[in-house]
Every structure is written in C-alpha cells, then in structure tokens.
C-alpha cells in the first residue's frame, strides 16, 4: 500500500516471539503485490490458545477460530475465498482397528490378540520391527516358548509361527503382501510353519488418498449424494518425510469459492476423508490454514 523499495521484515512464531535464526544462513522471501481493498488474508490455527479457551473441543482435524473482528461482506460486491496454504501433521497409515492378529499357544484354548498402535510408518523394515516388538511385549509371559517372528527378505515379508497358531485378518494380510487377494475370513497359520509374502508390502493401503477441507463459510457442494461445504480437496502424499513433524502445501491456483455468509464472526474447519470420517493425524501438532478473501468482479 506504501510506495517504496525498503522492506522491514520480522520473523516471529505463532506467539509473535522473535525466531532465533542461525547466523550466516540466508532467509529468502517472495513477496506478491496485491490491492488491500480487493483482497485480504486470514490465518487459522487449530491449537490457538485463545480459541481453545472459547472452544475447548478444538482438535487438529476439527476446529473453530473466532475472528478478532467480524468480516462484513458488502452486498454491493460478491466475495470469494480460497485456501492458499495448509500445514498439517503426518496422516496415519497404520491403524490398530485393522492391523492386528491373534495367536494361540500349542495345547491351549485361549487366544491372545496382538495389535499395532496407530502410527505413521514409511518403511517395511520399521513395520517388521514394530510387529516383532508388539509380539515380545504382548507375549512376555511366555518366557519358555519360541515366539512368532516376522522378517523381511528381498522386500517381502515373512512369518515364522514357531510354538503358536497365528490367525491374521484380511487387512493385515494385504498390507504384508501375504496373499494376492483380500481374505474376508483371514488366514490361519499353524504352529511350526513359515509363510513368505507373494507381494511387496503396501504400507499405504489404508491411508486416505485425500483430505476434504470443510468450512462453514462456503456454499454447499454436491459430493457423493451429500451436500458438504467443501473448501478444497487436497491429495495426501505418500512421501511425507520422517524428519519433519509437518507437511506444508502452498496452492498455486486460486480456486475461489463464493462466500455464503454476509457476516463472518467465526470460521469452522473440518478435515475429512472421502468416507466422511475425520482424518487421523499421527500426533497432536496443530493444523494451520491460510485463507484469502477476494472481491469478485
């Protein structure tokens, strides 16, 4: 809004505290010129402390933010909104409700259920480690028996049942690649037997393919015989890094949707799967959305 060639930039965190940057490392910023009367941004944070006091039920996949002042959309002009950027934690691909199996010791009638924890796993080696760890933890009382053991050979999973009968459900069988087809009733592996996978492991079989961002401020859309208020549909990458807690997407396309409300006091965001369930994030890190409101011609 002010002509000139000198910019004063301060880098702060979500609490507006100065960020401590490394000495000698350059910071590069790309600025885009815009006209204030035609456009303005709004940033929403799922874990904002002030909003958590107002809406204690807020969580990373469903939250409300009360605006510092209401947005009044002038009837003389049509307004639109678009999602410009999104920062979110890793999306789970291993779910306890699907990734489990039961074992029964030779000569006993009672079965023991072994269940993986909800998690995000990027390699077959890590999944095999988690399976063996769960077997040891769950069957720690069977100290004299040889426990079932998983291994990874040439990219294929294998299981040695040893002193136990093992019953695998269909979902875990498909993830481990132990069968070419889905087994509705699962497969029972008898004691002292071994089985090698016939397919490479599919770690992302159960992970949602996209996130559907729902908001109360946009018009309803027709989607799968329903009428949700879809702000944007965001594909989920299977290449989420293990070294960062966040994924960050900056959207190049405007993808502007008409604003439904004449007055906006609060903005609600829900992040859903195509089945209508809330997305399961791995940890408690927050979600950050940047919206851009724009006056339509």
């Amino acid at each position: 809004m002010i002509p000139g060639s000198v910019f004063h930039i301060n880098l702060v965190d979500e609490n507006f505290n100065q960020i401590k940057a490394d000495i000698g490392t350059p910071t590069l910023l790309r600025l885009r010129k815009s006209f204030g009367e035609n456009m303005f941004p709004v940033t929403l944070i799922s874990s904002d402390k002030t909003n958590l006091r107002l809406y204690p039920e807020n969580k990373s996949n469903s939250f409300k933010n009360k605006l510092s002042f209401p947005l009044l959309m002038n009837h003389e002009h049509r307004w639109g909104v678009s999602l410009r950027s999104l920062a979110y934690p890793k999306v789970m691909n291993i779910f306890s409700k699907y990734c489990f199996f039961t074992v029964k010791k030779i000569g006993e009638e009672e079965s023991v259920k072994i269940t993986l924890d909800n998690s995000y796993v990027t390699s077959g080696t890590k999944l095999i480690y988690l399976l063996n760890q769960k077997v040891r933890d769950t069957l720690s009382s069977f100290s004299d028996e040889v426990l079932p053991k998983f291994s990874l050979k040439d990219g294929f999973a294998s299981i040695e049942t040893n002193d136990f009968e093992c019953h695998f459900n269909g979902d875990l069988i498909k993830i481990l690649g132990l069968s070419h087809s889905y087994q509705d009733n699962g497969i029972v592996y008898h004691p002292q037997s071994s089985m090698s996978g016939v397919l490479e492991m599919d770690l992302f079989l159960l992970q949602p393919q996209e996130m559907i961002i729902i908001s109360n401020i946009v018009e309803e859309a027709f989607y799968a015989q329903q009428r949700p208020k879809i702000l944007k549909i965001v594909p989920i990458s299977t290449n989420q890094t293990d070294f960062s807690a966040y994924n960050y997407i900056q959207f190049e396309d405007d993808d502007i949707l008409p604003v439904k409300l004449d007055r906006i006091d609060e903005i609600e965001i829900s992040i859903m799967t195509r089945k209508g369930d809330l997305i399961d994030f791995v940890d408690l890190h927050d979600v950050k959305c940047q919206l851009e409101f724009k006056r339509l011609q």
Side-chain angles (χ1 to χ4, degrees), residues 44 63 81 212-220 228-232 257 260-261 264 266-271 291 293:
L44 309 174
F63 59 93
V81 63
I212 301 177
I213 314 297
I214 308 293
S215 179
N216 64 314
I217 63 174
V218 298
E219 298 283 353
E220 295 176 339
K229 299 176 181 179
I230 299 177
L231 178 63
K232 198 173 187 67
L257 298 174
K260 178 182 181 180
L261 305 176
I264 301 176
E266 62 184 24
I267 299 178
E268 301 177 23
I269 295 290
S270 296
I271 306 177
L291 306 181
F293 289 85

Side-chain angles (χ1 to χ4, degrees), residues 146-214:
V146 180
L147 303 180
K149 184 178 180 181
F150 294 87
S151 59
L152 186 64
K153 299 178 182 178
D154 299 325
F156 294 86
S158 62
I159 170 70
E160 296 178 12
T161 60
N162 295 320
D163 294 339
F164 292 80
E165 176 184 280
C166 301
H167 183 191
F168 286 76
N169 71 78
D171 294 308
L172 187 55
I173 289 171
K174 286 294 290 180
I175 291 174
L176 294 176
L178 298 177
S179 173
H180 285 288
S181 60
Y182 187 85
Q183 304 292 321
D184 291 329
N185 297 321
I187 298 178
V188 177
Y189 299 118
H190 298 289
Q192 307 303 333
S193 62
S194 62
M195 175 61 66
S196 296
V198 294
L199 298 170
E200 291 186 357
M201 287 190 288
D202 188 352
L203 300 178
F204 299 95
L205 176 70
L206 302 177
Q207 187 186 59
Q209 296 181 355
E210 67 264 327
M211 298 182 292
I212 301 177
I213 314 297
I214 308 293

Side-chain angles (χ1 to χ4, degrees), residues 51-76:
N51 282 288
L52 279 174
R53 289 194 292 268
L54 296 173
Y55 313 108
E57 69 279 5
N58 275 3
K59 47 190 177 181
S60 56
N61 55 15
S62 180
F63 59 93
K64 297 179 184 178
N65 274 194
K66 185 176 180 61
L67 304 182
S68 55
F69 57 87
L71 301 180
L72 302 178
M73 302 301 175
N74 195 323
H75 289 287
E76 296 180 1

Side-chain angles (χ1 to χ4, degrees), residues 86-119:
L86 178 68
Y88 61 95
K90 297 182 181 69
V91 179
M92 290 182 188
N93 63 334
I94 300 298
F95 301 90
S96 60
K97 61 182 178 181
Y98 303 120
C99 299
F100 66 89
F101 61 102
T102 58
V103 300
K104 183 167 59 176
K105 181 182 175 295
I106 298 175
E108 294 192 1
E109 295 296 327
E110 185 176 354
S111 297
V112 179
K113 186 176 181 180
I114 299 175
T115 305
L116 287 176
D117 297 326
N118 292 335
S119 57

Side-chain angles (χ1 to χ4, degrees), residues 250-263:
Q250 185 171 349
F251 304 103
E252 296 298 331
D253 56 314
D254 286 341
D255 201 12
I256 300 174
L257 298 174
V259 175
K260 178 182 181 180
L261 305 176
D262 296 328
R263 176 190 172 108

